[in-house]
Amino acid sequence: MLAMSIGHTLLGLLESGPRHGYDLKRAFDEKFGHDRPLHYGQVYSTMSRLLKNGLVEVDGIEAGDGPERKRYAITAAGVTDVERWLATPEKPEPYLQSTLYTKVVLALLTSRDAADILDTQRSEHLRSMRILTDRKRKGDLADQLICDHALFHLEADLRWLELTAARLDKLREAVTR
């Protein structure tokens, strides 16, 4: 979840009403964490930071069999912060530092078969696409949309793999001069 702000996501989930950390984790995992569920420690450390920054407040504390359970509520400053975050466009990632590109160039520089690297990667992309397509077919609308996002990126990668394979001789000349 590198691209997603976990803090902002938890704040957004709190807008529907106060929740315990456990409930926040469960809601996050259900809506956003299919592939990368949050760890409880991550939820509580994030909530501690949000509390310190005045974006949430403790709405209540309940005693139970274990440790006390805090119920968190979003503050007006938290709502403003979420609104600002939602209105800020994400920077498109140009992928100019691609590991795959580096592998291809290094293969060419070391007289290895770059075409094999491209073929192996193409197979891995196609395998991932089959898995995502199956997941999309079985999923709800939210899962279908996230799978579409991933599939479109994989399709772009496949186009790049084909283009690079077609230009491999020219690339070899360019990088080995």
Side-chain angles (χ1 to χ4, degrees), residues 21 104 137:
V104 170
R137 193 175 308 120

Side-chain angles (χ1 to χ4, degrees), residues 34-49:
H34 293 281
D35 298 313
R36 279 189 143 174
L38 283 180
H39 297 285
Y40 284 104
Q42 194 172 13
V43 172
Y44 292 109
S45 65
T46 301
M47 295 312 296
S48 177
R49 183 177 42 80

Side-chain angles (χ1 to χ4, degrees), residues 22-143:
Y22 173 83
D23 297 325
L24 284 168
K25 179 201 175 342
R26 194 176 64 220
F28 182 98
D29 290 351
E30 181 183 304
K31 301 288 185 202
F32 310 107
H34 293 281
D35 298 313
R36 279 189 143 174
L38 283 180
H39 297 285
Y40 284 104
Q42 194 172 13
V43 172
Y44 292 109
S45 65
T46 301
M47 295 312 296
S48 177
R49 183 177 42 80
L50 295 173
L51 186 63
K52 181 178 140 192
N53 293 333
L55 302 176
V56 298
E57 60 190 9
V58 175
D59 185 60
I61 298 176
E62 298 171 7
D65 293 338
E68 292 180 332
R69 293 183 50 191
K70 293 180 185 174
R71 188 175 52 245
Y72 298 95
I74 192 168
T75 63
V79 171
T80 300
D81 201 55
V82 171
E83 287 173 354
R84 187 178 314 116
W85 180 67
L86 289 173
T88 304
E90 291 297 309
K91 183 179 184 218
E93 295 184 33
Y95 302 104
L96 294 177
Q97 293 297 321
S98 166
T99 303
L100 183 54
Y101 172 78
T102 302
K103 286 182 174 186
V104 170
V105 171
L106 283 175
L108 294 172
L109 289 172
T110 59
S111 301
R112 289 183 171 91
D113 192 348
D116 280 351
I117 291 171
L118 294 171
D119 287 342
T120 300
Q121 192 62 50
R122 184 181 304 104
S123 294
E124 184 62 20
H125 270 60
L126 291 171
R127 186 188 70 75
S128 291
M129 290 176 81
R130 283 190 295 275
I131 291 167
L132 285 166
T133 300
D134 186 54
R135 176 177 162 183
K136 177 182 165 181
R137 193 175 308 120
K138 295 174 183 173
D140 61 11
L141 180 58
D143 214 30

